[in-house]
Amino acid sequence: MDEARLARARRHSVVQTAGAIGLVLLLVGTLMFVLTSRQESRALDDELTRVLAAAEDVDDPPPGQFLALRRPGGTAVEVTPGASPALTRVLDSAVRRPPGRHDASAGDDRPVRVVVQRRPDGSDWAVAADLAPLRRRQGQLGLALLVAELAGLAGALVTATLLARRAVAPLATALGMQRRFVADASHELRAPLTVLHTRAQLLARRARDRPAGRLTGELDQLVADTRALGEVVEDLLVSAAAEHQPLPDTQVDLAEVAREVVASMSAYAREREVELRLEAAGPAPVRGARPALRRAVTALVDNALGHVPPGGHVTVTVAGRDGRVAAEVADDGVGLDPTETDRLFARFAHGTAGAGRRFGLGLALVQHVARAHRGTVEVTGAPGRGATFTLLLPPG
């Protein structure tokens, strides 16, 4: 639906832009044709006027022109020899008219331009020129302008298409970001909500058999889980508002982050009958955004718990490795096909090894967080032998 609306908006933009450019070209072409035609017409009038001023008789006018003379006080009209009968009649009639200029037809749809002039001695002169060359030049000019208009319209369509694509591209990007945000929010909220649901069920069962004071620890964990859920929502909103802005550059203890994640996910692991343990010898400082790092570690742990059968194990290890800080999440579950490790980080992709499937959306988020922190994600594993995901970050 969104793609159809964007395509329709793009088409409307192309039609409107091309129409506006085409209209401008049409107006410019029309104006150019009118001005050029008038200029050529005036040039012809000036030429005929000069011919009349220089004429001494009607016998030798310039090629394509014909003269007529009525002497003072006379009635007979002299016409250039070789003029057709129709043209002779036109000149005979014209030389008897007041001075001026007019167009006439000399038969067979042959248009002529006639200029009449009276000299001080009382003689009347007229000159006629064939308008066919002028009309031909005007037709050629009109054809050239038409071709230019069509070429300009084609160029306008291409330009409008490019401009429409550039104009609609931000909308498509915004819609894509919106869809990614919804997908990320759905995936990221699933794990904390599952943990909260599991912990609430445990509290409900234990509340029937234990005094309220013995549930304090569980209630504290429930509060911590709701705080973590709020951090996830806040981080997603910040990510949706400014996906490409740099993350906060603060010192974060990755071991402490892993400890919080393991404590938060422990109830969920027990519910699945999976042993979740943490191995961290000491602080592991890195620089970055604590909510984003917690989101990444939570996604790795949630991914591992989803692919370990009852009785399995998930181990989170935080330690230094080759000058970097490594957060390793290893499981002994269904494993994965090493040839598909690259596909696992594509959104909504999944592996085919084992009975489960490794969701690519959460892993894509992990990779995004790793890159934002100038780190990487490494994957090892084999079908039926579990998998290990390692988040490697520069030390802080």
Side-chain angles (χ1 to χ4, degrees):
M1 181 64 68
D2 292 338
E3 288 76 6
R5 290 178 179 176
L6 287 175
R8 187 162 56 251
R10 186 164 51 246
R11 287 194 298 270
H12 288 170
S13 177
V14 169
V15 171
Q16 292 173 358
T17 304
I21 297 176
L23 180 60
V24 171
L25 291 175
L26 179 61
L27 293 176
V28 172
T30 302
L31 181 61
M32 183 179 298
F33 178 80
V34 171
L35 293 178
T36 303
S37 297
R38 288 183 177 179
Q39 182 65 29
E40 290 191 349
S41 180
R42 283 195 295 267
L44 178 60
D45 291 345
D46 293 340
E47 179 184 355
L48 294 179
T49 301
R50 289 193 298 270
V51 169
L52 286 178
E56 296 179 354
D57 53 48
V58 298
D59 295 331
D60 56 349
Q65 298 178 8
F66 297 87
L67 289 167
L69 168 63
R70 188 177 68 171
R71 299 185 182 278
T75 59
V77 177
E78 302 176 22
V79 180
T80 301
S84 66
L87 182 56
T88 300
R89 287 192 297 271
V90 168
L91 287 171
D92 184 87
S93 174
V95 81
R96 303 176 189 277
R97 298 174 60 176
R101 186 212 77 172
H102 67 276
D103 292 342
S105 175
D108 298 330
D109 295 328
R110 181 185 177 188
V112 292
R113 171 71 50 85
V114 181
V115 175
V116 180
Q117 185 181 83
R118 171 166 290 183
R119 291 183 178 179
D121 61 1
S123 61
D124 296 314
W125 291 80
V127 61
D130 190 357
L131 283 179
L134 178 62
R135 297 287 188 263
R136 186 164 50 251
R137 288 194 300 270
Q138 290 177 341
Q140 292 172 348
L141 176 62
L143 180 60
L145 290 175
L146 177 61
V147 173
E149 291 282 347
L150 294 177
L153 184 59
L157 287 173
V158 174
T159 302
T161 302
L162 295 177
L163 291 177
R165 288 179 179 177
R166 294 186 63 180
V168 176
L171 297 177
T173 301
L175 290 174
M177 291 178 62
Q178 182 184 42
R179 286 193 291 268
R180 288 196 300 271
F181 172 73
V182 172
D184 292 350
S186 300
H187 183 274
E188 289 304 311
L189 293 177
R190 180 178 60 85
L193 288 174
T194 301
V195 172
L196 287 175
H197 180 70
T198 302
R199 196 179 299 282
Q201 286 181 321
L202 292 175
L203 285 174
R205 286 199 294 263
R206 293 173 182 175
R208 302 187 186 99
D209 304 323
R210 300 183 183 181
R214 299 183 62 182
L215 299 178
T216 301
E218 297 291 340
L219 291 174
D220 290 341
Q221 284 293 332
L222 188 60
V223 172
D225 290 340
T226 57
R227 183 170 58 252
L229 181 60
E231 291 176 351
V232 169
V233 173
E234 182 179 359
D235 190 51
L236 284 172
L237 290 175
V238 172
S239 176
E243 184 176 2
H244 300 292
Q245 290 184 355
L247 294 172
D249 188 17
T250 58
Q251 190 174 74
V252 180
D253 186 356
L254 192 58
E256 181 63 26
V257 171
R259 192 174 293 109
E260 293 176 359
V261 172
V262 170
S264 175
M265 302 287 288
S266 58
Y268 178 52
R270 287 194 298 270
E271 184 74 11
R272 295 183 60 86
E273 300 181 11
V274 175
E275 182 182 356
L276 176 61
R277 55 198 178 196
L278 172 68
E279 295 180 1
V286 296
R287 303 198 67 83
R290 186 183 186 91
L293 292 172
R294 174 163 179 161
R295 180 179 70 176
V297 177
T298 300
L300 291 178
V301 173
D302 177 60
N303 178 71
L305 291 175
H307 299 88
V308 177
H313 306 82
V314 174
T315 303
V316 181
T317 305
V318 180
R321 178 188 299 179
D322 298 331
R324 293 191 291 179
V325 177
E328 179 184 280
V329 179
D331 65 73
D332 55 4
V334 297
L336 55 83
D337 187 349
T339 61
E340 296 184 342
T341 55
D342 291 338
R343 293 183 60 254
L344 296 178
F345 293 99
R347 293 176 182 269
F348 302 106
H350 59 83
T352 56
R357 62 191 183 109
R358 299 193 176 273
F359 292 90
L361 181 55
L363 298 181
L365 295 176
V366 173
Q367 190 175 63
H368 172 73
V369 172
R371 290 174 177 173
H373 288 78
R374 303 181 302 279
T376 59
V377 182
E378 295 181 353
V379 184
T380 59
R385 298 182 181 180
T388 300
F389 289 80
T390 304
L391 176 63
L392 294 169
L393 301 174

